[in-house]
């Protein structure tokens, strides 16, 4: 207890119960942290307004594609021809246009390949990892040899009459020189013929080979020359593709004819126009059943896929797809595909949407049970917090054991059980999580069309946040990996020299997963739960999503819209979380306890007597008590005077009169305060991490109850290094705890308690040291299966 204080008369001294002006500090940066962002954001204009909305002069160019492509299964090759109609909706005259040639990432001498860095792991590494470190080009294929050169082979570039056009290839970009300037409002039609060798799947595109049956699954993306974006922010966005920063694209309408071996099943962006020509009568009947089913219906069975694996193709087949108002087109093809689907009224508005999954038998039983249901759930969850999914179909394809990648209406997702069909809980959760994440990318960036080449966080971070919410809606106990503040703590603890601000260009981000996925997702969760509250956040987030549907927002458009629609000043938050690398570390340094001096002599002198008696009980006084009668004064009464009988704690009539005179001077409000019997606690708080955040503190009371007080981040606005905060309570507090619900990603919880609370670190006692190379045991499902029944057959359960 610090002490008791007197309540002085109004007009003499004012007692302010709340934030006090803080002493000067030589280290605080509060004025910088809580000032508006100003020059950090671009100046509003007629293209993009100060509110975060598209302006009256906002424009987007577009490109329509008519493509014919053949998949050469024997040589793992793509052969294509396209006719492109490019529309100049900008106010500018264009002398040339730029196209993206992303497959050139895999050319020898590409920037992406030449700038790959790393070191040899002395503990061992795979041949593939070692070769990747020394490669001067991109990713090789399984049939790699001196005659297999990866990257685009452009065989023709011509206008609509067939006349050759001049073009220049610069790495992953191609400039097409126009025969005449393309004026605003005009369009230009041209054609390109090309081919390239497909690489092994590298997380975004490629093939997976199955040695056991000699077949391939193909996942084909960034496979055709695509128009680069031209906008009011960058002009041409023709930043080279280095592999990490993804794709900046424009919208258009697509008609794509895909020729494949006649035993292949194709999944693609858009709607298939010729199911009658490519499906058997039985498969068409299953499609009709699926069109009215609330659970997945198998269109191509596992038995049919296994039969196709063993047979040899007898010809070719062309699947024709149409997709309107999409920013890209991707497809998957394999004779190994099982296919299930259902068409449901996702939003209860009478409009049905297809949810589909394509997977080889290696994905069962997980894929048959969960994938399509997870697709539908994602559309519903994301749609409820953004906008209704506008496309007719959403597809999940099983591509390799792990990872995932997104394209309009189609995604390539990992998650594969063991060959015996068993799987761990983490594999199951990982598969469902990646499906939710990649299908969710249909909203960000396939519809809210951010610039991925520049800002990874604008699609990955927002999408990971929505994924986190969708996972919890799938299963309350879902083991979410990203989104909770305590899950980002280890990353935030890292040395600042190896951290990048979220607002770092995609290709320059260090630790892409934590920085561009987890940190922004966590920041949005903190905004929703702690800073803004769910109602304000949800309204603003939906407003941003709707404003920028089928448009290309920038970070400033997001920041401004969130503030504009909520009425909450968040500039301090964007600065700290998105432009900085500081961590949250609040330290509850000290708590001083005060009570009001009532000035009632009956009360105050009794308390003073008790305190004096307590102080007098020293060890020496206790031991001397046995000989107190031997003192001089005790044995000689002539040594006593007035003070030997005087009681300074006795209440006198003069004391009583002074108290009554004092009461007479008090107003009714002052008297209520005097008689409140409240406890006043002065908390000393330090912002050791640098990143200012709200202060949340739990008080545990003497009677076993507790209460939580919350103070906005602006509590630090005068001094962001150290503050004092006074809290009044009617009950005595026995324990104080900062951030009791782990809301703000505080990196050190040891200094969050006052008095300090020690927690033991638990360790395991081994009989002998275990080798790190010791084989791991079976997963829990395998253990149970081994105990109760023979192993399942290869490929898992059949989904027929």
């Amino acid at each position: 207890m610090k002490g008791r204080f007197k309540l002085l008369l109004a007009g003499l001294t004012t007692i302010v119960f709340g934030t006090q002006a803080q002493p000067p500090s030589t280290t605080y940066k509060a004025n910088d942290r809580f000032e508006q962002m100003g020059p950090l954001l671009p100046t509003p204009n007629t293209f993009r307004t100060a509110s975060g909305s598209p302006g009256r002069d906002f424009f987007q160019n577009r490109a329509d594609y008519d493509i014919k492509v053949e998949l050469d299964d024997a040589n793992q090759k793509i052969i294509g021809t396209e006719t492109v109609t490019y529309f100049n909706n900008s106010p500018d005259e264009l002398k040339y246009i730029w196209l993206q040639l992303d497959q050139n990432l895999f050319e020898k001498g590409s920037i992406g390949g030449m700038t790959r860095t790393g070191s040899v792991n002395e503990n061992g590494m795979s041949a593939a990892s070692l070769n990747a470190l020394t490669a001067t080009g991109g990713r090789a294929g399984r049939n790699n040899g001196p005659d297999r050169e990866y990257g685009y082979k452009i065989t023709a570039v011509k206008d609509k009459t067939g006349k050759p056009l001049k073009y220049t290839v610069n790495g992953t970009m191609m400039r097409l020189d126009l025969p005449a300037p393309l004026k605003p409002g005009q369009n230009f039609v041209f054609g390109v013929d090309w081919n390239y060798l497909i690489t092994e799947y590298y997380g975004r595109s490629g093939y997976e080979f199955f040695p056991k049956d000699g077949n391939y699954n193909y996942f084909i993306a960034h496979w055709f020359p695509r128009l680069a974006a031209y906008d009011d922010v960058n002009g041409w966005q023709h930043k080279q593709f280095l592999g990490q920063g993804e794709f900046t694209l424009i919208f258009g309408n697509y008609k794509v004819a895909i020729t494949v071996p006649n035993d292949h099943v194709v999944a693609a962006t858009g709607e298939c126009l010729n199911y009658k020509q490519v499906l058997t009568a039985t498969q068409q009947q299953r499609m009709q059943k699926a069109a009215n089913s609330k659970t997945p219906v198998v269109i191509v069975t596992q038995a049919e896929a296994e039969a196709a694996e063993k047979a040899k193709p007898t010809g070719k087949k062309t699947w024709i797809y149409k997709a309107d108002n999409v920013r890209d087109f991707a497809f998957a093809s394999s004779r190994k595909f099982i296919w299930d689907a259902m068409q449901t009224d996702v939003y209860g508005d009478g409009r049905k949407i297809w949810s589909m999954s394509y997977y080889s038998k290696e994905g069962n039983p997980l894929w048959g049970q969960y994938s399509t249901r997870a697709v539908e759930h994602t559309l519903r969850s994301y749609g409820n917090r953004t906008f209704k999914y506008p496309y007719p179909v959403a597809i999940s394809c099983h591509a390799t054991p792990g990872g995932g990648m997104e394209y309009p209406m189609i995604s390539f997702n990992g998650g594969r059980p063991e060959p015996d069909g068993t799987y761990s809980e983490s594999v199951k959760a990982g598969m469902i999580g990646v499906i939710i994440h990649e299908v969710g990318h249909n909203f960000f960036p396939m519809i809210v069309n951010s610039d991925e080449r520049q800002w990874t966080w604008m699609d990955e971070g927002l999408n990971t946040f929505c994924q986190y919410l969708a996972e919890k809606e799938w299963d309350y106990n879902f083991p979410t990996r990203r989104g909770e503040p305590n899950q980002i703590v280890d990353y935030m603890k890292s040395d600042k020299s190896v951290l990048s601000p979220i607002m770092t260009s995609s290709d320059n981000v260090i630790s892409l997963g934590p920085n561009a996925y987890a940190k922004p997702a966590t920041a949005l969760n903190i905004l929703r739960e702690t800073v803004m509250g769910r109602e304000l956040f949800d309204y603003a987030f939906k407003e941003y999503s709707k404003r920028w549907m089928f448009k290309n927002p920038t970070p400033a458009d997001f920041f401004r819209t969130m503030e504009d629609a909520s009425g909450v000043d968040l500039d301090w938050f964007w600065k700290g979380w998105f432009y900085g690398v500081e961590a949250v570390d609040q330290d509850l340094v000290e708590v001083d306890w005060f009570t009001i001096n009532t000035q009632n002599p009956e009360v105050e002198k009794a308390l003073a007597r008790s305190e004096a008696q307590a102080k007098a009980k020293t060890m020496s006084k206790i031991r001397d008590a046995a000989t107190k009668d031997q003192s001089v004064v005790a044995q000689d009464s002539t040594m006593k005077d007035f003070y030997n009988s005087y009681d300074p704690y006795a209440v006198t009539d003069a004391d009583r009169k002074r108290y009554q005179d004092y009461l007479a001077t008090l107003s009714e409000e002052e008297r209520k305060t005097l008689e409140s019997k409240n406890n006043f606690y002065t908390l000393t708080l330090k912002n050791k991490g640098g990143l200012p955040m709200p202060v949340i503190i739990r008080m545990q009371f003497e009677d076993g109850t507790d209460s939580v007080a919350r103070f906005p981040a602006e509590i630090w606005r005068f001094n962001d290094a150290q503050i004092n905060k006074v809290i009044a309570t009617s009950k005595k507090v026995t324990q104080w705890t900062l951030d009791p619900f782990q809301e703000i990603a505080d990196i050190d919880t040891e200094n969050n308690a006052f008095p300090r609370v020690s927690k033991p670190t638990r360790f395991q006692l081994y009989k002998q040291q275990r080798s790190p190379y010791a084989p791991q045991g079976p997963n829990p499902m395998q253990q149970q299966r081994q105990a109760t029944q023979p192993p399942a057959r290869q490929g898992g359960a059949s989904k027929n």
Side-chain angles (χ1 to χ4, degrees):
M1 176 173 175
K2 185 76 170 181
R4 295 170 67 78
F5 66 96
K6 290 185 178 181
L7 186 68
L8 302 181
L9 297 181
L12 297 177
T13 304
T14 301
I15 304 296
V16 181
F17 300 109
T19 301
Q20 304 291 316
Q22 304 301 315
S25 168
T26 58
T27 59
Y28 77 95
K29 301 177 182 177
N31 288 343
D32 290 339
R33 297 187 195 278
F34 288 94
E35 277 300 316
Q36 298 300 287
M37 294 179 73
L40 286 176
L41 298 181
T43 303
N45 51 48
T46 58
F47 299 109
R48 298 168 193 268
T49 69
S51 69
S53 296
R56 65 176 181 269
D57 294 328
F58 178 82
F59 71 89
Q60 291 185 115
N61 291 353
R62 64 179 292 119
D64 293 344
Y65 298 82
D66 188 340
I67 306 175
K68 295 178 177 59
V69 59
E70 181 175 348
L71 170 62
D72 181 349
D73 185 36
N75 297 295
Q76 294 79 59
K77 187 175 183 179
I78 288 291
I79 306 159
T81 180
E82 66 182 7
T83 299
V84 183
T85 304
Y86 181 71
F87 297 87
N88 182 14
N89 298 324
S90 80
D92 307 319
E93 187 177 273
L94 303 178
K95 294 173 58 179
Y96 44 77
I97 57 180
W98 284 91
L99 290 86
Q100 304 182 59
L101 304 180
D102 300 297
Q103 289 296 323
N104 286 357
L105 173 69
F106 306 111
E107 281 186 320
K108 291 181 179 178
S110 71
I111 296 177
M114 294 290 288
T115 59
R116 189 178 295 118
T117 59
S119 58
V120 173
N121 186 339
E122 63 183 15
N123 295 320
M125 58 194 305
S126 69
S129 298
L130 182 62
N131 292 336
L133 289 176
T134 58
T136 58
R139 194 178 187 87
R142 64 178 294 271
N143 297 323
N144 193 37
D147 59 334
R148 290 185 69 83
E149 295 183 359
Y150 293 89
Y152 278 108
K153 306 297 183 291
I154 304 295
T155 57
V157 180
K158 51 190 180 300
D159 66 15
K160 60 184 178 181
T161 67
K163 183 179 179 180
L165 295 170
K166 183 181 178 182
Y167 67 93
T168 301
V169 174
N170 175 20
T172 60
M173 292 288 167
M174 181 175 84
R175 189 187 70 238
L176 176 59
D177 297 330
L178 300 175
L182 187 63
K183 298 183 181 300
Q186 292 183 338
N187 66 70
F188 181 70
V189 180
F190 65 96
V192 182
D193 297 344
W194 77 96
N195 64 78
Y196 71 87
L197 297 175
I198 305 169
T199 67
E200 286 185 290
Y201 191 76
Y202 82 107
R204 304 194 193 282
S205 179
Y207 63 75
E208 180 181 9
F209 177 67
F210 294 84
K212 191 165 186 177
D213 56 52
N215 289 298
Y216 296 81
N217 286 350
Y218 294 95
F219 307 97
I220 306 301
H222 45 93
W223 55 279
F224 60 98
R226 304 177 292 180
L227 264 296
Y230 181 86
D231 60 31
D232 60 290
V233 177
N234 302 296
W236 286 106
Q237 172 51 291
H238 45 31
K239 197 176 187 319
Q240 293 287 329
F241 180 41
L242 305 183
Q244 181 163 285
E246 292 181 359
F247 311 110
T248 306
L249 300 162
I250 61 177
F251 291 103
N253 298 332
Y254 286 75
K255 183 178 180 182
V256 182
I258 305 168
T259 299
V260 297
N262 64 356
D263 57 355
H264 271 219
V265 173
V266 172
T269 298
E271 296 178 282
C272 183
L273 303 181
N274 67 332
Y275 276 145
K276 290 183 178 180
Q277 284 72 48
V278 294
L279 299 183
T280 67
T282 300
Q283 290 166 348
Q284 292 177 54
Q285 291 173 359
R286 295 170 184 158
M287 281 285 291
Q288 292 174 0
K289 181 180 177 182
N292 297 291
S293 177
K294 294 183 179 180
T295 58
V297 174
V298 178
I299 311 302
V300 177
T301 69
Q302 181 162 325
E304 290 169 336
E306 289 178 338
E309 287 177 347
K310 300 169 186 175
K312 292 186 177 181
T314 57
K316 299 178 182 179
K317 187 184 294 184
T318 299
W319 300 60
I320 301 174
Y321 279 86
K322 179 179 184 295
D324 290 338
N325 207 23
V326 294
R327 67 171 227 155
D328 200 1
F329 191 102
F331 69 94
S333 182
S334 177
R335 60 179 55 88
K336 294 173 62 66
F337 279 159
I338 305 161
W339 173 18
D340 70 46
M342 60 183 185
Q343 189 182 37
T344 57
D345 184 353
V346 174
Y347 303 112
D349 59 1
R351 182 176 64 94
K352 287 187 174 183
I353 302 171
W354 281 104
S355 297
M356 296 181 174
S357 296
Y358 296 74
Y359 46 95
S360 53
K361 67 177 185 293
E362 287 78 10
N364 265 334
L366 275 175
W367 277 74
Q369 182 172 0
Y370 293 112
S371 178
T372 296
R373 293 292 299 273
V375 171
E376 183 198 44
H377 168 73
T378 304
L379 300 182
R380 181 178 295 109
S381 177
Y382 277 61
N384 288 339
R385 66 187 75 262
T386 57
F387 44 76
K388 294 178 180 178
Y389 183 70
Y391 295 132
V393 63
I395 297 170
S396 170
C397 296
H398 177 37
T400 75
M405 188 62 199
E406 72 280 358
Y407 301 96
M409 300 187 231
I410 188 170
S411 56
F412 308 150
N413 306 313
R416 183 171 293 174
E418 301 295 333
D420 63 2
T422 65
Y423 49 86
S424 66
E425 186 177 16
S426 63
V427 167
K428 170 189 168 184
M431 185 202 82
I432 294 172
V434 77
I435 291 172
I436 290 173
H437 182 90
E438 306 305 342
V439 173
H441 269 305
N442 278 289
F443 295 80
F444 308 99
M446 301 306 155
I447 296 171
V448 180
N449 184 28
S450 56
D451 182 351
E452 294 181 278
R453 190 62 52 85
Q454 183 68 19
W455 307 114
T456 295
W457 72 266
M458 286 198 73
D459 68 293
E460 297 295 357
L462 271 62
N463 184 49
T464 300
F465 166 69
C466 291
Q467 173 194 351
Y468 160 77
L469 298 176
E471 287 174 343
K472 296 194 300 178
E473 292 169 350
W474 174 270
D475 183 349
Y476 175 79
N477 295 313
F478 195 95
T480 58
R481 294 175 52 237
R482 292 164 171 161
E484 289 287 359
N486 59 12
Q487 294 171 327
I488 197 68
V489 165
D490 286 344
Y491 174 69
M492 300 288 276
K493 283 181 179 179
S494 302
D495 189 310
K496 292 183 177 63
S497 65
V498 298
L499 297 179
S500 304
I502 292 175
M503 287 293 291
T504 298
S505 180
S506 298
D507 285 315
N508 303 332
V509 172
I510 303 170
S511 300
L512 190 72
N515 178 279
Y517 293 67
K519 188 178 178 182
T522 303
L524 295 180
N525 186 31
I526 291 173
L527 278 181
R528 184 173 188 258
E529 298 290 357
T530 302
V531 176
M532 300 171 70
R534 291 187 175 189
E535 183 178 357
L536 286 175
F537 178 91
D538 289 349
Y539 182 89
F541 192 77
K542 180 173 281 192
E543 178 66 18
Y544 165 75
S545 303
K546 289 185 173 180
R547 277 183 182 181
W548 292 96
M549 284 181 70
F550 299 111
K551 298 181 179 67
N552 58 323
T554 66
D557 299 319
F558 176 69
F559 298 151
R560 285 168 166 157
T561 295
M562 291 300 293
E563 296 190 30
D564 178 69
S566 68
V568 180
D569 181 2
L570 297 171
D571 282 23
W572 64 271
F573 189 87
W574 309 131
K575 284 182 180 181
W577 277 90
F578 286 75
Y579 286 85
V581 296
E582 291 178 315
V584 180
D585 182 7
Q586 295 180 0
D587 182 1
L588 182 53
V589 178
E590 188 177 14
V591 178
D592 292 324
W593 177 24
F594 298 87
T595 56
I596 294 177
N597 185 327
T598 66
Q599 301 191 49
N600 182 342
E602 305 287 353
V603 174
E604 299 303 324
K605 286 198 170 183
L607 284 173
R609 184 190 302 277
S610 297
E611 290 176 7
Q613 291 173 345
K615 289 180 180 178
K617 288 185 178 180
T618 65
M619 182 52 66
S620 62
K621 293 284 285 185
I622 292 171
R623 290 171 176 166
D624 290 344
T627 59
K628 66 179 180 179
D629 292 338
Q630 299 175 16
S631 69
V632 172
V633 171
Q635 293 183 1
D636 186 352
S637 61
T638 64
M639 294 296 98
K640 295 181 180 179
D641 68 358
F642 168 81
Y643 290 103
N644 291 105
S645 60
Y646 170 68
D647 182 1
Y649 303 110
V651 179
T652 67
D653 289 340
D655 292 333
R656 295 185 182 97
K657 184 178 185 306
R658 280 193 298 271
Y659 177 57
Q660 293 301 320
D661 291 345
Y662 168 68
L663 291 179
T665 65
L666 298 180
S667 67
E668 182 178 353
E669 181 180 356
E670 289 171 331
R671 191 155 184 164
K672 285 181 180 179
T673 302
L674 182 69
E675 297 171 352
S676 67
K677 298 182 180 180
N678 276 345
N679 301 279
F680 297 89
Y681 296 93
T682 298
L683 281 62
T684 300
L685 297 156
K686 285 186 177 180
N687 177 19
K688 293 177 67 175
L691 181 53
M693 287 294 287
V695 173
I696 306 143
I697 190 156
R698 179 170 62 197
M699 298 163 280
Q700 293 170 268
F701 299 113
E702 189 174 54
D703 62 3
T705 62
D706 66 359
S707 179
V708 175
R710 294 174 174 272
F711 305 101
E714 285 82 359
I715 195 171
W716 302 97
R717 71 187 183 277
F718 296 121
N719 186 334
D720 63 339
Q722 178 172 315
I723 57 173
N724 293 331
K725 178 63 181 174
V726 177
I727 297 177
T729 68
S730 60
K731 295 185 285 188
K732 294 179 182 178
V733 181
T734 58
Q735 184 66 56
W736 301 81
T737 308
L738 285 172
D739 191 26
F741 307 113
Q742 304 175 75
E743 296 180 60
I744 59 172
D746 195 312
I747 65 171
D748 183 4
T749 57
E750 295 293 323
N751 60 18
N752 283 10
F754 190 92
R756 294 291 192 242
V757 177
S758 297
K759 298 179 182 179
T761 299
R762 296 177 64 83
F763 66 95
Q764 191 170 356
L765 188 65
Y766 293 125
K767 184 174 181 180
Q768 65 181 38
Q769 182 65 38
R770 296 190 303 179
S771 168
Y773 304 105
Q776 300 298 310
N779 64 53
M781 186 178 285
Q782 287 172 324
Q783 295 174 19
Q784 178 69 15
R785 177 170 291 180
Q786 290 169 4
T788 59
Q789 65 185 46
R793 68 184 180 83
Q794 169 72 24
S798 175
K799 184 76 173 177
N800 292 327

